[in-house]
Amino acid sequence: MFITRHDVKLPASTVAPANANQSAHVTSHRNFPLFGPFASLSSAVMTHLPQSGDKRKEQATGMEFPEDCCVLTKKDCPVLTGFGVRNKKLMGMKTIKVYAVGLYVDPKAAKKLLSSKQADISAVQGIPEQAVFDDLVTSNDVEKSLRMVISFGGVNKKNFWSALEERMEPAMKQAGDVAPLQEFGALFDDVKFRKGLQLNFTSSKDGALITQVDNKEVGIVKSSLLTRTLFDVYLGRDPVSPDAKQSIGRGLVNLAIEENAQ
């Protein structure tokens, strides 16, 4: 099944950009501060996440996540909604914890989105229906960031990118535009992967993807298709980290509950 908008045919798990200009893709460089003051708006969002001092710890890997993430703004920044681990089996035997991954969302914008989806929030085991995740993936009105922290020292650029490209390329090919994916991959060419390396991917207001490595921006790819495809890898119907998606879902439910209480 396909959804067609603005004469662009995309897989049903994605939606075309609001205007044709968003499909253009170029890479630029700026410097943004990554983490700012802790957000005070939605502390209840993170009650399901283990705390370690002023950070939250992903227990399977021991990697820590700040409670908020400031990329586009320095005030009322997106807050951590949930996290989990990306596992990979080596030759079908040993399971490697490759990296921890978490999602930050702008709580005010997310609440507005969730307020129109209350029927989809009352789901089994407190996890939203897929429609809620789909709206979050496709909405440019909700500032959001994926943060990965490498937890396995054997990760390098080749195996990291190969695994991510394998998940993203089919959707990009189906949409008929793989050039943004190639630009995205090139951003990792000079990255020295190691345990503890931080990767941050933020969706801008126009759908562009801002990439940061260890809190420093390395480039922007202006392709809303690329951005949606990346977030769909973690929030779509077949997530690479099911436990991360469940944790994020619980955080979104907490947002909805907080919205109803106000």
Side-chain angles (χ1 to χ4, degrees):
M1 178 181 178
F2 290 88
I3 298 172
T4 303
R5 297 187 183 179
H6 302 276
D7 298 321
V8 179
K9 184 177 285 188
L10 299 177
S13 60
T14 61
V15 179
N19 59 69
N21 291 333
Q22 292 181 3
S23 63
H25 42 82
V26 296
T27 304
S28 62
H29 299 268
R30 292 199 311 274
N31 288 318
F32 282 109
L34 181 58
F35 298 111
F38 285 160
S40 59
L41 178 62
S42 296
S43 58
V45 176
M46 294 175 282
T47 56
H48 65 294
L49 303 178
Q51 189 163 2
S52 175
D54 57 1
K55 296 183 179 181
R56 302 284 169 161
K57 180 180 288 188
E58 197 290 307
Q59 291 184 312
T61 61
M63 297 300 166
E64 294 181 337
F65 287 72
E67 294 187 351
D68 67 355
C69 175
C70 299
V71 178
L72 303 179
T73 58
K74 296 182 180 180
K75 184 179 180 181
D76 295 331
C77 300
V79 298
L80 183 63
T81 59
F83 48 40
V85 60
R86 170 66 163 115
N87 291 317
K88 187 73 173 180
K89 282 190 175 182
L90 294 183
M91 301 182 68
M93 296 185 295
K94 186 177 181 179
T95 299
I96 299 298
K97 298 177 177 63
V98 183
Y99 57 80
V101 57
L103 179 74
Y104 294 81
V105 299
D106 172 1
K108 289 183 178 179
K111 282 182 183 181
K112 183 179 292 187
L113 175 68
L114 291 166
S115 66
S116 64
K117 304 293 293 184
Q118 291 303 317
D120 295 326
I121 290 296
S122 57
V124 178
Q125 298 179 346
I127 305 300
E129 298 288 348
Q130 184 58 43
V132 175
F133 290 106
D134 291 343
D135 283 355
L136 182 60
V137 167
T138 58
S139 175
N140 288 339
D141 295 327
V142 181
E143 182 184 344
K144 50 190 177 286
S145 293
L146 280 168
R147 184 169 190 259
M148 304 175 192
V149 185
I150 303 299
S151 56
F152 175 56
V155 175
N156 55 40
K157 189 264 183 181
K158 182 179 180 180
N159 54 35
F160 173 83
W161 177 245
S162 176
L164 192 57
E165 183 182 40
E166 181 180 356
R167 289 299 302 257
M168 296 180 67
E169 189 175 46
M172 302 289 290
K173 279 186 174 180
Q174 199 168 31
D177 190 8
V178 296
L181 186 62
Q182 296 167 351
E183 287 191 40
F184 184 42
L187 297 179
F188 301 102
D189 285 348
D190 297 325
V191 175
K192 305 298 183 183
F193 280 80
R194 68 182 191 285
K195 185 175 181 178
L197 180 76
Q198 302 169 18
L199 303 171
N200 200 77
F201 308 104
T202 299
S203 174
S204 71
K205 292 294 184 180
D206 61 357
L209 186 67
I210 302 168
T211 298
Q212 295 171 314
V213 178
D214 280 341
N215 304 349
K216 295 181 180 179
E217 185 182 309
V218 296
I220 302 174
V221 181
K222 294 185 177 179
S223 167
S224 56
L225 170 63
L226 176 77
T227 303
R228 291 193 307 273
T229 302
L230 176 63
F231 279 84
D232 191 68
V233 169
Y234 298 90
L235 303 178
R237 298 179 185 276
D238 182 25
V240 296
S241 177
D243 66 319
K245 182 180 176 181
Q246 289 185 359
S247 176
I248 292 164
R250 288 192 291 272
L252 293 175
V253 169
N254 287 345
L255 267 178
I257 292 173
E258 193 174 312
E259 170 71 13
N260 286 337
Q262 292 178 354

